[in-house]
Amino acid sequence: MPQTDIVTFMLSFIESYRKSNIDLTELQSALAGQAVDYPAFAEALLQLEQDGLLIPVKSHGRNGRTPSLAYRYRIHRQKLRRDQVSIIQTAAQQLHPAIKLDTYYRRTSEEWETDLPHIRQIHQYLAQYGLPENEITAPERSFALTGDEKWIDEQGGRELLEKIGLWASMRILPASDPLMLAIHPKLFSSVPTSGSSASHLIVENKATFHALLGKLNDLPFATVIYGSGNKIVGNLQMFAKQVPLPHVHHAFYYFGDLDWEGIRIWHSLNRRYDHIRLAAPFYIAALQHEAVPGKSNQRRDHAALSAFSQHLPDESAQRLTELLNEGRYIPQEVLSAEELHRIGRMSVWNKT
């Protein structure tokens, strides 16, 4: 990993870290599974020390290796934020005025760096053509903006356009796929009146969806929805059209793989829609099972992990962080049909 990438990676990690102080061992564990030796790691940390972003806690001493690193650091969050604000303000002055960057003042530098190449592509399009006047499909608009027809529907393009205040201005014809769902007949028939509430379970993978169908009538969910991976982020908007019960309060629970992609899908859903909860009982049970070697091509998103972990007990959140940093993951299929039904039936699912 190039030195600049190590520094960027470490910056993203400490930005999403929830505590004020961080131990050297935790910083090292963040790079578990990466091809980074001690000299390169130390050079990156010393750069962050020199920049004033990590401040050594002198009372804990240093490790005595060459180069020497502190056993504990204090994270200078105010400086992290000031640097981020300055970078975004400079970019805002150089981009098309229709592009709004306010949301990035509250987000991590990793998210900013990830989105910036696409933001520049959108700027180039707007600088040449201006805001579009005619409506076209998402694939057509996606190709015009980025050269990739799948970017808007399948690669987070809609979410980015919403973040920079351009979704409505892009005049995109709605063309989401229908939701794939199964209905609990008794529960569904009991929630048609105003003021009623209903819970719905979204699962990432097809095998888990089929496993839940066996005893759907015993579960407390009005519907079980097959998310089909990342497609659910765009397709969930079809729920209101397929289930036209506008006066019912709908609460959605999400259960996916315990890997970087599954966590990112929940995070995208949670930021885009109201009432998306973590199906914590399923995740807690899955974390009792053995993890397996992970998928090395998945992008790490520490902001998503931090938000996800806040909905788990501390011990479960710690185990999740450890196994991901070790390059392992737990697929949702680790729970058998019997476990799924038992957990779904016996857990408390709050609809308020």
Side-chain angles (χ1 to χ4, degrees), residues 277-326:
R277 290 95 179 275
L278 207 66
F282 290 118
Y283 284 112
I284 293 169
L287 283 163
Q288 304 303 312
H289 290 261
E290 190 68 28
V292 296
K295 305 164 185 175
S296 58
N297 62 336
Q298 290 189 352
R299 178 173 65 86
R300 298 187 176 208
D301 188 336
H302 291 285
L305 176 59
S306 178
F308 185 96
S309 298
Q310 291 175 20
H311 299 276
L312 295 174
D314 288 345
E315 61 273 17
S316 297
Q318 182 177 352
R319 169 160 164 71
L320 173 60
T321 300
E322 290 173 352
L323 69 89
L324 289 174
N325 286 335
E326 292 167 0

Side-chain angles (χ1 to χ4, degrees), residues 214-232:
K215 297 182 179 179
L216 181 57
N217 288 347
D218 295 333
L219 297 175
F221 303 107
T223 68
V224 175
I225 301 168
Y226 168 43
S228 188
N230 193 58
K231 288 184 178 180
I232 188 62

Side-chain angles (χ1 to χ4, degrees), residues 115-143:
D115 290 353
L116 185 56
H118 290 307
I119 292 173
R120 286 174 174 158
Q121 287 179 313
I122 295 166
H123 161 74
Q124 291 172 358
Y125 174 89
L126 293 176
Q128 184 172 359
Y129 301 107
L131 292 170
E133 298 180 358
N134 300 319
E135 288 189 331
I136 60 175
T137 65
E140 291 176 289
R141 184 70 72 215
S142 184
F143 187 80

Side-chain angles (χ1 to χ4, degrees), residues 196 275 309:
S196 299
H275 310 304
S309 298

Side-chain angles (χ1 to χ4, degrees), residues 151-171:
W151 177 69
I152 288 177
D153 284 336
E154 300 182 22
Q155 298 171 18
R158 171 167 180 159
E159 182 182 348
L160 188 150
L161 289 169
E162 288 174 341
K163 281 191 285 188
I164 62 176
L166 280 179
W167 174 252
S169 300
M170 287 295 103
R171 302 181 62 80

Side-chain angles (χ1 to χ4, degrees), residues 39-74:
F41 167 72
E43 184 179 340
L45 243 60
L46 291 174
Q47 180 64 54
L48 295 176
E49 274 193 47
Q50 183 178 345
D51 293 342
L53 301 174
L54 288 178
I55 302 171
V57 178
K58 293 182 180 180
S59 61
H60 285 259
R62 301 183 75 90
N63 64 358
R65 297 183 64 178
T66 303
S68 176
L69 298 173
Y71 280 118
R72 175 170 288 188
Y73 290 92
R74 180 169 64 84

